[in-house]
Amino acid sequence: MNEERKIIVEEVDAVAAPAKARVEDVQETFERKRDYLAGFLSQKPEPHPEGEPGGALYEGVIEALKEIYDPEIPVNIYDLGLIYGVEVTAEGHAAVTMTLTTPHCPVAESMPGEVELRVGSVPGIATADVNLVWDPPWDPQKMSDDAKLELGML
């Protein structure tokens, strides 16, 4: 059972080197493609409509909302997640859909009026409406990461 295995080695004097590629041998079959980014980079960005996210009027409303703070929690109502939606028309009408942390909130009567007043004071806003909703109910998961960090929840 002791079979001896041998490795057979064959010696050679030389191996033919593979042919080298030469630039002259290559035929020019590819024409240079137009830079695919050239058209993209030459486009000018389209301006955002004023009432859409990114537009100056919409962003002005958001900034106004960020200046209103919940009296019990040191976080603005936007980062707190109380603002469910903001719509701004081209005619300057703003509609804010919001909720409160609880229906028994001490500012349940005054907060919507303050939101309406602040949003209505944004330059370019002619009228402001606030729609107070309770569905879906507010929960801490609606807060921004900045608010969670401020309150030590992250």
Side-chain angles (χ1 to χ4, degrees), residues 31-123:
E31 66 179 65
R32 180 152 194 248
K33 302 286 184 204
R34 189 169 66 92
D35 187 0
Y36 69 95
L37 286 178
F40 175 76
L41 294 175
S42 67
Q43 293 177 359
K44 300 295 179 209
E46 292 182 21
H48 290 287
E50 290 294 311
E52 296 295 320
L57 197 54
Y58 179 89
E59 296 302 325
V61 170
I62 298 300
E63 288 304 313
L65 292 170
K66 287 184 176 182
E67 292 176 359
I68 304 170
Y69 283 79
D70 186 288
E72 298 173 322
I73 305 170
V75 176
N76 69 65
I77 64 171
Y78 188 83
D79 288 333
L80 198 53
L82 298 178
I83 305 300
Y84 286 175
V86 174
E87 295 177 16
V88 181
T89 66
E91 295 80 35
H93 175 75
V96 177
T97 303
M98 67 173 292
T99 192
L100 298 172
T101 54
T102 173
H104 307 294
C105 182
V107 294
E109 292 182 22
S110 63
M111 182 68 73
E114 183 178 355
V115 169
E116 187 175 332
L117 186 66
R118 294 276 187 109
V119 170
S121 70
V122 172

